[in-house]
């Protein structure tokens, strides 16, 4: 496999510079990182526990205790409705035809269940009613399918039962459903932040990904949101998509710069099962592209140049896909190079993959979870949600029928709970801090754990090893990622600290 990975890594678009990261990943000392990025598992912001079958009551008690400190937390509601299925999607969802008469009952049921689950949380974790909510997110799925009356009913409940006195409200939607009327209604309800997935601004690539919106609709959402008063808009872009070329990503990034977006998420396509490392929202079924993939040996003889042809993946209905229809690993890192170089003067990255314009602020909810001086709890209400405190995490059921049955029977829809030993808590704290792409501060670590980082020999030795491999460096009492380290931080935190 390493031979195939090295070939894919060195297969680049000759019109663009060869990324330095190729030399880093070609170093035998970084073979585990190369294996990770080539196998492509999901898990950028996953910080798992190490104690299986942890009693869920103990998690709830630990969470309640931690909430008593009064630090702001991240609260989110997951609304799993979608009007179609993206070809790369592995998230739990309910496909709804919003204009059909029966859809109104589905939306009502989804909101009913979310409220019923939230009431159970409030009963079992009493401090949840009073702890300040730093940021409240409605995620999906496509929550923007919710009719006005159901969205308002959901928001009235949350405002009445949680401490929203200083909360920022953020809403996720889909371009084809976020018209000017819906945006005006969101603004009326108090939402000041909007995010949506464009994936690309190239209509061919949008179509081949199974999306049913156009680039024009993306531009209209951004324009209308600003006119409505929602200035903070985050757009998700993906690189590594089917038949995507480096020049396509360059077009997307230049277009994003023209739009002067406040926040942009640029994530690498992940095809391998989320379930391998899932501790968050994830479906158990394979995505459409996974179902269509044909395992092949990627060799110099068999591999053709990605991007030389466009395929009609309305063609996906009966066709098979092979790995050489996607950009090579080297081309993906050229794409990442383009992103870094074009964003360098205008955006900071914090955390990894999340870019914010230099005159704005980084993602608040991500900061609450991962910033070294915070790392406070999050509570997720809805299908497949992941809730965590410092000592454990709980993942909700992901099958909608099972979820509905549990909630209707007044049972918290627990799929699994995993505890964290003291050693894992300390390692996760370092991993979270690294994932922010910000310096890891030894003084903050000492305040929390009672000792300097170097006194934990297992962690310190790993950091020294990463420094020898030029992925990070020590600067006085801080630890900083190199540029290569920032690009590879996902693979670093998921391969170097888990033993």
């Amino acid at each position: 496999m390493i031979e195939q990975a090295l070939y894919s890594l060195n297969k680049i678009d000759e019109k663009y510079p060869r990324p330095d990261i190729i030399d880093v990943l070609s170093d035998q000392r970084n073979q585990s990182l190369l294996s990770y990025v080539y196998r492509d598992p999901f898990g950028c912001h996953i910080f798992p526990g190490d104690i299986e079958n942890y009693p869920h009551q103990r998690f709830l008690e630990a969470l309640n205790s931690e909430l008593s400190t009064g630090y702001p937390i991240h609260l989110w509601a997951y609304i799993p409705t979608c009007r179609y299925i993206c070809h790369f999607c592995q998230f739990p969802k309910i496909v709804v035809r919003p204009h059909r008469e029966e859809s109104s009952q589905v939306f009502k049921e989804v909101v009913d269940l979310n409220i019923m689950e939230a009431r159970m949380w409030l009963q079992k974790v009493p401090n949840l009613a009073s702890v300040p909510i730093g940021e409240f997110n409605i995620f999906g799925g496509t929550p923007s399918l919710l009719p006005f009356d159901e969205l308002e009913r959901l928001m009235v409940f949350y405002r009445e039962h949680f401490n929203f006195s200083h909360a920022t409200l953020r809403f996720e939607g889909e371009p084809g459903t976020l018209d000017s009327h819906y945006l005006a209604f969101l603004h009326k309800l108090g939402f000041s932040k909007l995010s949506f997935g464009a994936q690309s601004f190239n209509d061919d690539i949008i179509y081949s990904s199974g999306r049913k919106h156009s680039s024009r609709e993306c531009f209209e959402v951004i324009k209308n949101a600003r006119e409505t008063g929602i200035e903070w808009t985050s757009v998700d872009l993906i690189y590594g998509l089917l038949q995507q070329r480096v020049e396509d990503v360059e077009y997307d990034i230049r277009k994003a710069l023209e739009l002067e977006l406040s926040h942009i998420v640029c994530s690498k396509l992940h095809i391998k099962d989320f379930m391998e490392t899932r501790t968050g929202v994830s479906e158990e079924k394979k995505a459409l592209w996974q179902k269509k993939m044909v395992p092949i040996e990627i060799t110099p003889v068999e591999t053709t140049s990605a991007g030389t042809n466009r395929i009609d993946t309305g063609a996906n209905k009966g066709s098979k896909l092979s790995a050489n229809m996607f950009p090579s690993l080297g081309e993906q890192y050229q794409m990442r190079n383009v992103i870094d170089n074009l964003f360098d003067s205008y955006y900071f990255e914090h955390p990894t993959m999340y870019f914010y314009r230099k005159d704005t602020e980084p993602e608040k909810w991500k900061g609450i979870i991962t910033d070294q001086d915070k790392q406070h709890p999050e509570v997720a209400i809805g299908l497949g949600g992941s809730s965590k405190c410092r000592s454990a995490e709980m993942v909700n059921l992901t099958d909608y029928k099972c979820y509905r049955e549990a909630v209707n029977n007044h049972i918290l829809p627990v799929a699994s709970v995993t505890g964290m030993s003291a050693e894992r808590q300390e390692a996760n704290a370092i991993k979270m801090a690294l994932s922010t792409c910000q310096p890891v501060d030894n003084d903050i670590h000492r305040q929390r754990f009672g000792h300097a980082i170097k006194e934990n020999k297992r962690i310190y030795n790993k950091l020294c090893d990463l420094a020898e491999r030029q992925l990070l460096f020590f600067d006085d009492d801080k630890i900083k990622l190199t540029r290569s380290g920032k690009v590879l931080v996902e693979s670093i935190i998921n391969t170097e600290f888990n033993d």
Side-chain angles (χ1 to χ4, degrees):
M1 185 192 72
I2 291 298
E3 182 181 346
Q4 294 174 22
L6 285 169
Y7 177 74
S8 184
L9 180 65
N10 284 281
K11 181 179 177 298
I12 62 173
D13 185 332
E14 297 297 338
K15 296 192 296 295
Y16 289 84
R18 183 177 186 273
D20 294 339
I21 203 73
I22 291 178
D23 294 328
V24 175
L25 286 171
S26 298
D27 188 328
Q28 190 170 7
R29 295 175 299 174
N30 291 323
Q31 198 170 94
S32 63
L33 303 182
L34 175 60
S35 176
Y36 179 94
V37 297
Y38 182 67
R39 289 185 295 109
D40 200 28
F42 176 79
C44 186
H45 298 126
I46 302 302
F47 310 101
D50 56 348
I51 305 172
E52 299 296 330
N53 302 315
Y54 197 78
H56 81 269
Q57 187 57 40
R58 283 183 62 188
F59 163 71
L60 297 173
E61 291 169 357
L63 174 63
N64 193 57
S65 175
E66 201 167 320
L67 296 183
S68 67
T69 61
Y71 291 116
I73 70 163
H74 173 227
L75 175 68
W76 54 283
Y78 185 71
I79 302 298
T81 52
C82 290
R83 65 189 181 108
Y84 57 83
I85 300 175
C86 303
H87 293 166
F88 51 79
C89 180
Q90 297 183 50
F91 297 118
K93 54 208 162 269
I94 308 164
V95 178
V96 181
R97 307 302 179 198
H99 301 299
R100 292 185 180 176
E101 186 176 342
E102 62 269 22
S103 67
S104 60
Q105 184 55 41
V106 176
F107 294 128
K108 180 180 183 304
E109 179 181 77
V110 167
V111 172
D112 283 345
L113 291 171
N114 193 278
I115 290 174
M116 289 168 66
E117 185 193 340
R119 290 187 187 279
M120 284 188 274
W121 277 98
L122 291 164
Q123 180 184 13
K124 296 175 182 296
V125 186
N127 287 330
L128 191 53
S130 58
V131 68
I133 305 302
E135 185 148 290
F136 174 69
N137 278 297
I138 296 186
F139 282 151
T142 308
S144 48
L145 288 177
L146 283 179
F148 286 0
D149 57 342
E150 292 299 340
L151 178 56
E152 185 170 28
R153 182 164 70 94
L154 186 70
M155 287 307 302
V156 166
F157 168 82
Y158 274 95
R159 284 190 177 278
E160 289 181 349
H161 291 84
F162 294 86
N163 181 1
F164 274 31
S165 57
H166 294 89
T168 304
L169 273 58
R170 187 178 185 276
F171 190 88
E172 180 181 72
E174 184 260 342
T177 62
L178 289 167
D179 60 23
S180 58
H181 299 294
Y182 208 95
L183 292 168
F185 189 67
L186 290 175
H187 188 255
K188 176 185 173 184
L189 291 176
F191 288 94
S192 60
K193 296 184 175 183
L194 176 73
S195 69
F196 66 87
Q199 320 316 344
S200 173
F201 296 127
N202 180 315
D203 285 326
D204 288 343
I205 294 174
I206 292 171
Y207 174 72
S208 71
S209 299
R211 306 280 289 181
K212 298 189 185 301
H213 64 80
S214 65
S215 57
R216 181 187 59 78
E217 287 175 300
C218 295
F219 306 146
E220 284 294 312
V221 171
I222 295 164
K223 173 179 173 291
N224 291 336
R226 288 170 176 164
E227 291 178 353
T228 301
I230 302 175
E231 287 295 329
W232 192 106
T233 304
S234 176
V235 172
D236 294 355
L237 298 173
I238 297 178
Y239 64 96
L241 290 164
L242 183 74
Q243 295 292 308
Q244 192 177 40
R245 298 168 295 195
V246 183
E247 63 192 59
D248 295 322
V249 173
E250 181 178 1
Y251 170 80
D252 287 341
I253 299 306
R254 291 192 182 281
K255 181 58 68 174
L257 290 171
E258 286 178 24
L259 294 167
E260 298 183 333
L261 294 164
S262 58
H263 294 72
I264 308 170
V265 182
C266 295
S267 55
K268 180 178 178 292
L269 176 69
H270 293 281
I271 286 295
K272 198 162 185 177
D273 284 350
F274 284 17
M275 288 298 296
E276 289 196 6
T277 53
R278 178 179 69 82
T279 59
V281 178
S282 174
E283 190 171 32
E284 297 186 21
K285 298 177 182 177
K286 290 184 179 294
L288 179 60
W289 276 352
Q290 288 177 300
K291 294 176 184 176
K292 299 294 183 182
M293 285 290 286
V294 179
I296 63 168
E297 294 293 315
I298 303 180
T299 66
V301 175
E302 294 173 344
T303 304
T304 57
S305 177
T308 54
N309 301 299
R310 293 284 184 201
I311 65 169
D312 178 3
T313 54
N316 272 339
K317 292 176 181 176
S319 65
K320 295 291 184 180
L321 305 177
S322 59
N324 62 1
M325 293 180 179
F326 293 88
S328 68
L329 198 54
E331 289 166 328
Q332 290 174 32
Y333 283 115
Q334 287 181 300
M335 293 170 178
R336 172 67 200 224
N337 237 23
V338 165
I339 294 167
D340 288 340
N341 291 338
L342 290 177
F343 276 174
D344 187 56
S345 298
Y346 307 98
Y347 290 86
F348 290 122
E349 186 178 11
H350 178 191
T352 179
M353 305 189 312
Y354 287 76
F355 296 84
Y356 70 98
R357 206 171 59 209
K358 291 183 177 181
D359 62 344
T360 59
E361 298 292 330
E363 284 274 15
K364 187 176 181 180
W365 66 283
K366 282 292 186 183
I368 290 171
I369 301 167
T370 60
D371 281 1
Q372 190 186 8
D373 62 343
K374 301 181 182 70
Q375 299 185 356
H376 301 319
E378 69 172 329
V379 173
I381 298 172
L383 186 73
S386 174
S387 303
K388 58 180 69 66
C389 62
R390 289 179 172 177
S391 61
E393 69 171 354
M394 187 186 94
V395 178
N396 274 8
L397 293 166
T398 59
D399 180 86
Y400 185 64
K401 290 181 180 178
C402 296
Y403 171 83
R404 178 174 56 196
E405 181 179 0
V407 174
N408 280 330
N409 284 299
H410 306 288
I411 298 170
L412 205 61
V414 182
S416 65
V417 181
T418 309
M420 301 176 194
S421 65
E423 181 74 20
R424 181 56 62 91
Q425 289 182 50
E426 189 170 359
N428 275 350
I430 296 289
K431 289 166 62 178
M432 289 182 205
L434 288 172
S435 79
T436 66
C437 298
Q438 305 302 299
V440 181
D441 192 310
N442 194 48
D443 287 340
I444 295 174
H445 188 88
R446 186 185 289 109
Q447 290 169 17
R448 177 171 167 186
F449 293 100
H451 57 259
I453 293 173
K454 67 180 180 181
E455 292 178 39
N456 185 318
K457 295 303 181 184
R458 179 178 294 183
I459 291 176
Y460 185 66
N461 288 341
K462 291 180 185 297
L463 293 171
C464 289
D465 179 56
L466 290 166
E468 288 180 9
R469 291 147 62 186
Q470 299 184 330
L471 295 168
L472 56 80
F473 60 97
F474 297 92
D475 183 9
D476 293 330
D477 226 20
K478 292 182 171 60
I479 300 164
K480 300 179 180 179
L481 292 166
T482 63
R483 178 163 181 170
S484 295
K486 288 182 180 180
V487 173
L488 293 171
V489 66
E490 172 184 344
S491 52
I492 290 170
I493 64 178
N494 284 291
T495 61
E496 304 297 313
F497 295 90
N498 290 337
D499 57 7

